[in-house]
Amino acid sequence: MTITAGMVKELRDKTGAGMMDCKNALNETNGDMEAAIDWLRAKGISKAEKKSGRVTADGLVGVVSGGRHAAVVEVNSETDFVARNEQFQDLVRSVATAALGTDGKTASVGAAHLGSGKSVQETVTDAVATIGENINLRRSARIEVPHGIVATYVHNAVSDGLGKIGVLVGLESAGDTAVLSSIGRQIAMHVAATNPLAARADEVPADIADRERAIFIEQSRESGKPEAIIEKMVEGRMRKFYEESVWLSQAFVINPDLTVEKALKEAEKSAGAPIKLTSFVRMALGEGIEKEDGPDFAAEVAAMNKKS
């Protein structure tokens, strides 16, 4: 039987389960809606997914390195208390390790199988029921270089490879590995600290550059100067914008007298070979999630005391 998008949506509306889980359930039951609901319940998915409406802005970022390739994942939980749970930490490590053997896309990581024989997504779903909080694999990424290293850095680490910010930096080079590892880690720390928009000016998203330019034009026009002068003022501000926002042009946090690009050039002398920055990933926990403000615990206790 052909499983349509409408059938998947209907099952999702009835159970609150994820889209892929609903599709799998319908495939397994040949499109029988009631049987699919029972299938989800039997798997424990429907029960777990009832927690899916809760905001998951806490959790951990996990990083695993394989030398020339590395992966980073963000696994969210509802509270920081769960993020300190060893069971949850082991889960994040397992997910990051699984990501290392994939293309890094979140769907691929979710479908990857762990040593238990279950997929990452199935394991995360099981953890929801065991731990008692909504948990989800939010995103993942992977970098690989043909030769050289992928340097890593974890900021606010709570355990080995686990923390609040994870950074991967791909350095392609035939140079000395120890030198590459040292400069790579320093640059990864720089990325964690400065959160650059892109590695190079031409990689800055056009909409962001256009918005900045429009703001600079408005600000410059308030000066009342001629358009020719305004154009020069805007170009000057855009150069400054790129210097501050583009990774290679930024002042290196380890040595502000150098830009990151110049620091790489300096490292080439010790490495004995050119060093090419291929790409980078910076993943900060909860980035972009609007977390609801929780109740004031002290006020809650006081209110309960009054009632009693």
Side-chain angles (χ1 to χ4, degrees):
M1 180 178 180
T2 302
I3 306 302
T4 66
M7 293 168 65
V8 174
K9 183 179 184 302
E10 181 182 349
L11 182 58
R12 178 179 170 81
D13 291 342
K14 287 182 176 181
T15 65
M19 297 293 282
M20 287 306 299
D21 289 326
C22 289
K23 185 177 180 181
N24 290 337
L26 289 165
N27 281 326
E28 289 291 329
T29 58
N30 199 30
D32 186 317
M33 192 64 62
E34 292 304 314
I37 292 173
D38 290 343
W39 187 91
L40 287 169
R41 290 182 63 191
K43 295 289 185 182
I45 295 172
S46 184
K47 178 182 177 181
E49 290 294 340
K50 288 179 181 177
K51 304 178 188 291
S52 64
R54 299 180 185 172
V55 176
T56 53
D58 277 300
L60 287 170
V61 171
V63 172
V64 172
S65 174
R68 290 190 297 104
H69 61 306
V72 57
V73 301
E74 179 184 358
V75 181
N76 294 136
S77 62
E78 293 177 50
T79 66
D80 183 57
F81 177 77
V82 166
R84 297 194 297 272
N85 181 305
E86 285 188 13
Q87 183 182 355
F88 180 78
Q89 292 179 5
D90 288 342
L91 171 66
V92 179
R93 285 193 190 93
S94 296
V95 174
T97 300
L100 199 62
T102 71
D103 60 8
K105 294 178 181 177
T106 307
S108 301
V109 177
H113 283 76
L114 302 175
S116 63
K118 291 186 176 183
S119 71
V120 165
Q121 190 55 59
E122 288 171 336
T123 304
V124 169
T125 299
D126 288 346
V128 174
T130 304
I131 295 175
E133 277 197 11
N134 185 21
I135 296 169
N136 72 288
L137 167 61
R138 184 185 178 208
R139 53 182 174 160
S140 58
R142 180 181 181 276
I143 290 179
E144 182 171 1
V145 293
H147 49 270
I149 67 158
V150 178
T152 64
Y153 172 68
V154 176
H155 189 63
N156 286 339
V158 298
S159 185
D160 187 34
L162 303 175
K164 301 298 184 182
I165 299 176
V167 178
L168 311 180
V169 174
L171 296 179
E172 187 177 329
S173 176
D176 183 87
T177 303
V179 175
L180 295 177
S181 297
S182 177
I183 188 65
R185 178 173 173 77
Q186 290 180 347
I187 291 177
M189 292 172 69
H190 172 96
V191 171
T194 63
N195 192 17
L197 288 174
R200 301 168 181 83
D202 59 4
E203 295 173 3
V204 174
D207 60 328
I208 294 178
D210 290 344
R211 184 167 65 246
E212 291 298 316
R213 183 178 291 276
I215 292 171
F216 293 153
I217 289 173
E218 278 301 310
Q219 291 174 341
S220 299
R221 280 180 177 159
E222 289 178 4
S223 68
K225 296 188 183 329
E227 284 296 318
I229 300 297
I230 289 173
E231 186 176 339
K232 291 181 180 178
M233 290 171 65
V234 170
E235 289 308 315
R237 291 188 178 186
M238 287 301 293
R239 280 195 298 274
K240 184 67 174 176
F241 164 72
Y242 284 125
E243 286 174 8
E244 294 175 348
S245 306
V246 173
W247 182 14
L248 288 172
S249 302
Q250 289 177 329
F252 191 29
V253 293
I254 308 299
N255 181 1
D257 291 334
L258 300 175
T259 63
V260 173
E261 188 170 26
K262 287 181 179 178
L264 275 174
K265 287 294 182 186
E266 288 291 320
E268 288 180 351
K269 298 174 184 176
S270 300
I275 303 173
K276 177 186 176 184
L277 166 68
T278 61
S279 58
F280 76 95
V281 175
R282 180 187 188 275
M283 197 171 287
L285 179 67
E287 201 169 37
I289 299 176
E290 291 187 12
K291 186 176 180 180
E292 297 174 357
D293 292 329
D296 184 324
F297 184 68
E300 237 181 37
V301 173
M304 289 173 64
N305 188 50
K306 285 181 181 178
K307 287 181 181 179
S308 61

